Amino acid sequence: MKTIHHRSFLLPSLFTLFFSLSIAGDTLNPNQPLADNETLISSGGRFALGFFSPSNSRNRYIGIWYDEIPIQTIVWVANRENPITESTGGSLSIATNGSLIISTENSTVVWSTAATGLSNPVAQLLDDANFVVKEESSTDSNSFAWQSFDHPTDTLLPGMKLGVDLTSGLNRNLTAWKSSSDPSPGEYCNAMDIDGDPELFLWDGTRKLWRTGPWNGQHFSGIPGTTTYQGFIFSFVNNKEEVTYSYDIVNQSLVSRLVVNESGVLQRSVWLAGNGGWNIFWFAPMDQCDPLSTCGPYGACDPNNSPICECLQGFTPKSPANWELRDGSDGCVRKTKLDCKNGTDGFVTVSRVKLPDTSNCSVDMSMNLDECKAMCLKNCSCTAYAGAIIGGGGSGCIMWLSELTDIRLYTDSGQDLYVRLAAADIAAAQSHGSGHAPIAIIVVLVLVVLLLVCVGFFLWRRKKRRRVMLGATSLSDQNISEEHFEGDDLELPLFELGNVAAATDNFSILNKLGEGGFGPVYKGKLGDGQEIAVKRLAKTSVQGLDEFKNEVVLIAKLQHRNLVRLVGCCIQGEERMLIYEYMVNKSLDAFLFDKEQSALLNWQTRYHIIEGIARGLVYLHQDSRFRIIHRDLKASNVLLDKEMNPKISDFGMARIFGGDETEVNTRRVVGTYGYMSPEYAMDGVFSVKSDVFSFGVLVLEIISGKKNRGVYAHSSHLNLLAHAWSLWNEEKSLQLVDESLGYSFPANEVIKCIKVGLLSVQERPEDRPLMSSVVLMLGSDSAAIPNPRQPGFGTRRVPLEVESSSSKQDSCTLNSMSVTMLQGR
Ligand SMILES: *[C@@H]1O[C@H](CO)[C@@H](O)[C@H](O)[C@H]1NC(C)=O
Ligand SMILES: *[C@@H]1O[C@H](CO)[C@@H](O)[C@H](O)[C@H]1NC(C)=O
Ligand SMILES: *[C@@H]1O[C@H](CO)[C@@H](O)[C@H](O)[C@H]1NC(C)=O
Ligand SMILES: *[C@@H]1O[C@H](CO)[C@@H](O)[C@H](O)[C@H]1NC(C)=O
Ligand SMILES: *[C@@H]1O[C@H](CO)[C@@H](O)[C@H](O)[C@H]1NC(C)=O
Ligand SMILES: *[C@@H]1O[C@H](CO)[C@@H](O)[C@H](O)[C@H]1NC(C)=O
Ligand SMILES: *[C@@H]1O[C@H](CO)[C@@H](O)[C@H](O)[C@H]1NC(C)=O
Ligand SMILES: *[C@@H]1O[C@H](CO)[C@@H](O)[C@H](O)[C@H]1NC(C)=O
Ligand SMILES: *[C@@H]1O[C@H](CO)[C@@H](O)[C@H](O)[C@H]1NC(C)=O
């Protein structure tokens, strides 16, 4: 139900009062009123006009909706604030003086338009949804005595203009409905600001929420994704007569609308008949850098960074204490005052930005960039300049004459901004390269300390473990071949050390793929051409023979397309090696958490990977001959073959459950923080549901492209689970989706996966589904999936949690046996 509800913001309300309608053509003549039970249909059949009632309301309004779409979607309302409240119904008519009139049955006028000077006025619903008043005989399709396009409500349709007509003073803006049952103007409004360099602002009453940035000739500076889809034509007119934005659709069979919805989100939806409704194509505000001036004056916001705010070069936080606590709203101040008189100031280039707020800018379209720079240097209030038009060599000049606010950084779009700095700060910036040296040093220090803590903890663990054997039956604690695999021959080729050495070019450094916790991993090629990955356990390895056998026997017995396949092993003298099939595409984390690589993971691939991991786990948990708990499922343990099929790897910590055991208590907690279920991390209790938890984390990581640690929502410090949960509650789940996916994903499927992910990370193990149910859920409609409750995060702290670092924790596996093999390719 949640999902249906979630999608309902796209869908217009259901209409409680909806009579069978009679059709009255497309034209309204005087003395021929439109009754409550009648509609006008535009000549092409795309739109209808008539009375409707919003959901949960008995009020009657005149509105326009799509006639070609089964879900009634209101695109315009005439009498937003003046409904007919009587049940007797009313009518719409056009007076002989050209005034449109909505009146009740006893002739009380609730809404009307001004009279026109026409002699034979008629009202007509055109096929672009424009409801116009015109001279009956007129064929002029551009000029009307009155048109609904001049009075938009919350929806901008193709061909409509948003903005200001400077000759008539008409200001066309979009104002959200108050609620789904009340179309009267709410607080949220999207309007053109013509001060400085014009841009569109989203308002909440008198507060600015978000801005598009100025138009750069191709798109708004703050909506760089605009040009990735060629199906729309966007236009921006800025001349003496008007400053307007509008769009058109290349293929007229595509249905699209831009709406300010009741929650204050500007969203573009497209109609996908096959997929059951309106699909969100784009929306804003989208991420934590979108709210206006998140990082204050002279601060730059980068949603891919943590923290998201940083000061521009030559600037330092104004309120360092707040800044430390991730509140960047006070912004930054200059390190060195400008020295305008002496003329020693210069500029630094900030690349790939959404240009700062242009409300106070001075714009000169005739200047080029050099002239712009000279002009800025001359004017002591000029703080920065930039080109106004990008592409074609660029042209025009924007000069900022006040603080630079609301700057955000993009990874692969945006334009150059030239910020004025005192000579001293320019020199400092250059000598420090990026100017981030102190931060880099701190980061390195933190990492080193972390590493030491991890190593220390790990040694301590081992020592402790030697003394007390705790916990459940693990393979390493059993006599494997006799108890569990009795009678089974290990049909696993034993390789000669010489052959392995030959295959890996005598363990050449050139063939080294990476270094796991217990020794290096090499790439090799067998005599028959088969590529292999050889995990060579260091002679000093702490992985004992038992653990080695554990992994060998386990993996050898496991045969599933979503588990990595062991090709053989090699035990000779002190040498112990595991030989796996070679995975061309490395591990999932190398794709997921890398800005460039993640673009290669489209939604289909991600979904395929989620399904594959789920199937692999079902096999481990119930379909194989033993109940196996992996205990260290994470992105780096999911390898990808050349068709991007996921393969679960690294069974160094897996446990086999004997007989009817379903849950085991151990004090030897192994695994990777961030993926560990609360009951396991806290109490050492693990069951198949601990793997389900790790799976849930992984699903959310795959969707978001972010690690469980290191995601920060706007003001509070949240991990991925908390972030996903809060978006879910706010019904903004699609904001979780990795930006590199753009808008090309089926919202339904994504929502389904998010739901499954959240269900899998529930606090209580019994609230998490079994992996077999997860597979069923993935195959079904999301409405059939129960709603998740608050996941298990943050309510209890895992022991030894190292809060300060976010990015490196993942690789610090707190266990003696985590061999992250095949990594680093
Ligand atoms: C408004 O749009 C956003 C984003 O598309 C969505 O999350 C929200 O639920 C919508 N609100 C309503 C009331 O439809
Ligand atoms: C519309 O309502 C009027 C008056 O209530 C009635 O006479 C007429 O038959 C209705 N038309 C249709 C098509 O229901
Ligand atoms: C129309 O009817 C309503 C309710 O029936 C009544 O309150 C109102 O006064 C009437 N208006 C006129 C002009 O008769
Ligand atoms: C136009 O005609 C309508 C109906 O006859 C009348 O109520 C209205 O006052 C007229 N408007 C003007 C400006 O004369
Ligand atoms: C939106 O348009 C209305 C009508 O022109 C105007 O009164 C209002 O101030 C505008 N809102 C904004 C935020 O510009
Ligand atoms: C427009 O889109 C429809 C449906 O997607 C398609 O059948 C048609 O060929 C397209 N027309 C053009 C001119 O591309
Ligand atoms: C201009 O430069 C001179 C010499 O470098 C310096 O003494 C003076 O303070 C500067 N003027 C200002 C306003 O900074
Ligand atoms: C524009 O200038 C006014 C007056 O100096 C100031 O209050 C306002 O904050 C400035 N706006 C921006 C976006 O810098
Ligand atoms: C700076 O430029 C702006 C806009 O062109 C102008 O209004 C202002 O007077 C100039 N200030 C100085 C000190 O030249």
Side-chain angles (χ1 to χ4, degrees), residues 17 76 449 541 706 767:
L17 273 173
W76 183 75
V449 168
S541 166
K706 298 197 175 69
D767 292 340

Side-chain angles (χ1 to χ4, degrees), residues 38-92:
E38 294 175 319
T39 30
L40 294 181
I41 306 288
S42 64
S43 60
R46 305 198 80 174
F47 290 96
L49 177 145
F51 282 93
F52 74 96
S53 289
S55 61
N56 303 318
S57 167
R58 308 209 124 231
N59 290 345
R60 302 295 284 164
Y61 299 88
I62 282 285
I64 298 177
W65 58 87
Y66 293 94
D67 198 46
E68 56 183 356
I69 283 177
I71 297 170
Q72 199 180 34
T73 306
I74 303 294
V75 297
W76 183 75
V77 184
N79 51 330
R80 301 182 78 162
E81 293 174 274
N82 316 94
I84 290 178
T85 50
E86 294 142 50
S87 52
T88 48
S91 65
L92 169 71

